[in-house]
Amino acid sequence: MHHKNDYTLSKRLLLLFLIGLAASGFVKMSYSDYVNPMLGTAEHGHTFPGAALPGGMVQLGPDTDIKGWDWCSGYHYSDSSIMGFSHLHRSGMGAGDWGDILLMPTTGKLKTEPGRKEVPGEGYRSAFSHQEELASPGYYGVTLKDYDIKAQLTVTTRAGFHAYQFPKSEAAHILIDLSHGIGDKCTDAGIRILSDTEMEGFRASKGFVKDQKVYFHARFSKPFHASGTWNQSAVHAGSKEENGTQVGAFADYLTADHETIYVKVGISYTSTQEARLNLEKEIPDWNFDRVSAAAKKQWDNALGKIAVSFDKQTDASYSKQKLTTFYTALYHSLLFPATFSDADGHYTGLDYKEHVAAGFRYRSDFSLWDTFRAEMPLLTLIEPERSNDAVNTMVAQYEQGGWMPTPQQFGNSYTNDMIGDHPVDAILDAYQKGIRNYDIEKAYEGIRKNAMEVPPSDHRSRGRTGLDPYKKYGYVPYDLFRESVSRTLEYAYNDWCVAQLAKALGKTEDYNLFITRAENYKHVIDTQTGFARPKNSDGKWLSPFDPTFVGSGKERHYTEANAWQYTWFVPHDVQGLIQLEGGRQRFVERLDSLFSVSSEIHNGVSDITGLIGQYAHGNEPGHHTVYLFNYAGAPWKTQAMVRRVMDELYSDGVAGLCGNEDMGQMSAWYVLSSMGFYPVAPGQNVYVIGSPEFSKITLHLDKAYYPGVDFVIEARNNSHENKYIQSATLNGQPLHKPWFDHEAIRRGGKLVLQMGPEPNKSWGQEPSDAPPSLSSH
């Protein structure tokens, strides 16, 4: 392994140089060269820098700490020591878990606990420097300074590949610590040393995922000089097996200077046998460079589905920053949902029984409260097969667990940590776009159950919380359930989605029921104040009322937000909301106020970040809000605000995110917005136009799902200053409306936007130009 320089300094300067050469035609850069996996590892982004593949099972990377909100991914850029390298991580979550199956190479005295990072040398953790750390798609490398060991990591879909270059030592070790996990509790673990080159075992835990069990099979390239196990603080030299909650195993070596020992680790959620099969199928040899190169190629193919470029006269530094930000955002958007089934299709279902996925890959980790907005719609465009897998998975989860996974599902557990009923949004969006290789009738059966039935008391992580009063009153009263306003608004949109799917399937009675319920948002819009406001079961508004108040416990009426931020969540009926707000002019004035009032939050939470006025881009509820000017005759204001958010709240450095990445949603917003459009109401097949950052964007569509040619967006005369649309054409025909439908993408073609430095306030101004809404159509 070569000595690596600091990514954020030397490699960025090199990237700038290469972009200049690429612009001159001297070198050809690959898409993965623009990706900075370190982006978002500082501040509150909660991303991880380790090696992973698009939608892979394994995310192999360093853990620097396992406690604290900013260590939900196990890594934070502020740290200077590493505990080891674990095989499972999640990107940008607000809750910690995973970090299972940790390996750590060491030299000197055998230590079986990591020690406190405040006390260097206390345990097996090691100091490191960002100057000697490098991350790229499918690869991670670092020097462990305490041991002078150079570690390199790469992955396949279901296996991790470690390369540890040791110094000369008579006391070299490789540890496997099964007590290690990020913010969870190990409830059981077991490890066996099968031979002088093989170990296998499992780790069971409770955390954000209620009951998780991970199996592994590890193979070492060099036979052990000696080996053993430990249980708590007791080391058992020569022992071949250990069980408990604080157990591990070690392999001892005599190493020559610069000798590299490789370890291959297969992972499974089903059994050690399946972990072994995954490993044998995916890494049959010891060629680390081949596996690393294959990972890079897979990322290049995935990232290359969207090609973006600037005009040649664009400043190279600006171009580098935006290309890095874009392709890193696309990289983050493609990490999840993850593979959960083994190479032969086996997986553990929500009934904790073993099943086989027939004709699809079983997926997991649907953070749908976050990702239904942009990340799942983005997958329908560039990875429709994974979108199809996701629907098949949700159908299987309904069949095996009895309920659709609302609103989140991780591992083989329901994790109803957020609100809403968002499987229907993702399923409707896929179905409406022609992604239909699944049992839609069974899917609808599960969707309807979520919308109509209250789960039994021992199944509170299923279904819709507050459904009974929602059906009785048409809203969720704040005196009966917390986060009542947010629940009402989201259920109304969910009901609209159910109605659209019922209509598509010819279920007229259901359509009439749910399209009526889709107007329930009106019950919590207070026309006197203009805010979505808590209402009790007697029909009385909460008083006193502070629209900047967030609160906690029973006093929290909005989910990780306040009235300023949630009032706008009526994506299916923006025209109806405009009418309640007093008409188009008043609506625009209210939106202007959102972005200009004081950013002071009363009794807030850590998730509310990235503030422009009271608009909070660092959390998901308002991600569509910047596009709502298009519905009220002022698209130019959307164009200006979208550019402002992209310029001020995204960058290409380690602090490049203004809030939690949230499993790809924060990045997917940027990917779509920088291309110039956004799905305000997923399932509607409508894209609202913003202001693209690039001069040319080409969507290379999967011909199995999109029979047309590629879809191209050209932004002529585009620049940082020229952010306003002067005119537009779609396939050569004038486009006066600030939106287009999915059929334009499905057929393929070209959207041309003529850009300029001053707004054309007449483009998209007429009421008939507005994107469709429930009240207008």
Side-chain angles (χ1 to χ4, degrees), residues 156 182 233 237 246 275 281 289 340 507 512 550 553-554 651 682 702 707 742 767:
T156 59
I182 302 168
S233 59
Q246 298 181 53
K281 181 176 179 61
D289 291 340
F340 198 75
K507 302 179 187 297
N512 291 331
V550 177
K554 293 182 179 180
S651 70
D702 186 336
H742 180 73

Side-chain angles (χ1 to χ4, degrees), residues 117-118 168 170-171 187 227 234 254 272 278 284 310 354 359 364 387 432 440 464 503 530 586 629 636 678 718 732-733:
K117 64 183 178 182
E118 299 84 5
K168 179 178 175 59
E170 295 183 355
T187 57
S227 64
L254 307 178
T272 54
N278 290 340
F310 290 101
E354 189 171 324
S364 184
S387 181
Q432 297 287 61
I440 187 58
R464 298 189 186 185
K503 182 178 181 180
R586 177 61 179 155
F629 290 107
W636 64 276
Y678 192 81
N718 196 21
Q733 300 299 312

Side-chain angles (χ1 to χ4, degrees), residues 64-208:
T64 61
D65 206 344
I66 57 175
K67 297 179 180 179
W69 188 62
D70 275 330
W71 286 265
C72 288
S73 75
Y75 181 98
H76 198 270
Y77 198 80
S78 63
D79 285 327
S80 58
S81 65
I82 285 174
M83 306 172 76
F85 308 103
S86 65
H87 287 76
L88 298 173
H89 296 86
R90 294 300 174 263
S91 181
M93 288 184 58
D97 206 327
W98 296 276
D100 303 82
I101 321 303
L102 177 131
L103 272 66
M104 182 62 172
T106 68
T107 60
K109 180 183 177 182
L110 178 68
K111 300 175 182 178
T112 60
E113 295 183 1
R116 293 165 291 177
K117 64 183 178 182
E118 299 84 5
V119 186
E122 181 181 56
Y124 61 65
R125 74 162 62 236
S126 172
F128 79 104
S129 168
H130 296 303
Q131 301 286 333
E132 297 176 305
E133 182 183 42
L134 178 64
S136 61
Y139 174 88
Y140 176 85
V142 70
T143 296
L144 301 174
K145 298 171 72 69
D146 288 8
Y147 310 116
D148 193 26
I149 294 173
K150 295 179 173 62
Q152 296 184 94
L153 312 173
T154 191
V155 292
T156 59
T157 298
R158 302 172 181 86
F161 205 165
H162 307 240
Y164 299 137
Q165 185 187 98
F166 285 88
K168 179 178 175 59
S169 175
E170 295 183 355
H173 320 283
I174 297 178
L175 316 178
I176 299 181
D177 188 347
L178 298 184
S179 66
H180 177 91
I182 302 168
D184 67 5
K185 179 181 180 181
C186 180
T187 57
D188 192 17
I191 193 163
R192 289 193 300 157
I193 300 175
L194 303 176
S195 70
D196 62 359
T197 59
E198 291 180 293
M199 299 184 189
E200 69 179 22
F202 73 93
R203 180 178 188 269
S205 62
K206 287 185 180 295
F208 183 75

Side-chain angles (χ1 to χ4, degrees), residues 534-547:
K535 183 184 288 186
N536 68 16
S537 51
D538 290 332
K540 296 179 180 179
W541 297 115
L542 173 70
S543 183
F545 172 64
D546 176 1

